[in-house]
Amino acid sequence: MFYRDAEHVLRLRAFEQFSWLIHGFGTRWSPSFGSCRNLATVRQIHSDRCVDAGGRAGVLAEGDALMGNSPGILLGVKTADCIPLLLVDERLRAVAAVHAGWRGTAQQIGAKAIRFLSARYGTQPQDLHAAIGPAIGKCCFEVGPEVASLFGQPANGKVKLDLTEALRRQLLDSGIPAGRIYASGLCTMCGGSEFESYRRDGAAAGRMLSVVGVVERSA
Ligand SMILES: [Zn+2]
């Protein structure tokens, strides 16, 4: 489903059917991936705030979900354990890049991003495809009872949380067909040195850039 290209960027085969789409999940080994003039990002604050790029590039605002449909503008989010989520409306050619950690996921950022796309671009959830990139897996994501309870997982001590599954359910509940939700299943913490992991490396961890956008000259 996902594969690594020659530049160590993870790509989703299902997205390659769209000739008008650019996408990819950068790794530690693709440091220059996506760093071009026409990159739009947000100052990520672990919120549920959605931002419309509206054809602009640069650091646009505080928020954790970035939407757009302008050819030539790449939307990017940076992660190291949190989930990078890319949404693609195949009918209207609108896209979104979402940074979903446990705080954002608990605040329903997946569902809110879809509602925002609907409000701004007229997206219907059944036209969306969703790619969930490498993030900390259930294997490694130990949380305390206060975080677990936010995900309906009552606990006395530490428990393992499946953040990707929580986000996947949010997307399903929002109306994206199950067959159009693709998860890499790769864990940033134990999946190898190709990934940046904040939990593993602390302050030494870099960030991986994931991008989505519409090609400059649409086919
Ligand atoms: Zn793991």
Side-chain angles (χ1 to χ4, degrees):
M1 205 172 2
F2 288 77
Y3 72 96
R4 290 158 185 82
D5 72 8
E7 286 157 341
H8 300 285
V9 175
L10 277 166
R11 300 193 193 273
L12 177 61
R13 291 203 191 280
F15 276 7
E16 294 188 333
Q17 62 182 303
F18 307 122
S19 59
W20 54 271
L21 184 72
I22 300 171
H23 83 284
F25 297 93
T27 64
R28 177 183 276 171
W29 297 337
S30 57
S32 61
F33 169 64
S35 55
C36 65
R37 221 154 38 98
N38 293 326
L39 176 68
T41 58
V42 280
R43 206 158 74 70
Q44 297 173 190
I45 53 172
H46 291 278
S47 69
D48 59 353
R49 203 176 296 170
C50 302
V51 175
D52 186 7
R56 297 167 297 163
V59 184
L60 300 183
E62 285 191 339
D64 291 275
L66 187 54
M67 329 275 162
N69 65 354
S70 303
I73 302 286
L74 287 181
L75 311 180
V77 287
K78 294 170 185 174
T79 59
D81 289 341
C82 290
I83 303 174
L85 164 69
L86 306 179
L87 297 171
V88 171
D89 180 336
E90 75 163 286
R91 189 170 59 93
L92 298 176
R93 300 187 176 186
V95 295
V98 181
H99 161 246
W102 67 262
R103 289 183 188 84
T105 305
Q107 293 174 77
Q108 303 287 317
I109 193 168
K112 284 172 184 167
I114 292 166
R115 286 209 295 273
F116 193 92
L117 272 172
S118 298
R120 290 292 168 98
Y121 295 99
T123 291
Q124 298 184 340
Q126 65 267 26
D127 293 324
L128 283 171
H129 296 256
I132 299 174
I136 191 164
K138 188 182 180 185
C139 42
C140 293
F141 195 32
E142 213 173 53
V143 299
E146 67 291 344
V147 173
S149 68
L150 296 173
F151 294 86
Q153 212 174 303
N156 293 318
K158 299 251 182 205
V159 290
K160 298 280 180 67
L161 185 67
D162 192 341
L163 201 57
T164 290
E165 178 56 21
L167 182 64
R168 198 185 70 86
R169 258 185 270 122
Q170 225 170 82
L171 302 177
L172 269 178
D173 290 346
S174 298
I176 303 185
R180 291 176 168 217
I181 303 173
Y182 319 92
S184 80
L186 297 163
C187 175
T188 44
M189 188 161 169
C190 70
S193 57
E194 94 184 272
F195 302 120
E196 303 284 2
S197 170
Y198 184 77
R199 279 225 170 181
R200 186 187 61 211
D201 301 333
R207 297 290 182 274
M208 302 180 288
L209 180 68
S210 301
V211 306
V212 68
V214 180
V215 296
E216 199 138 17
R217 285 183 186 81
S218 293

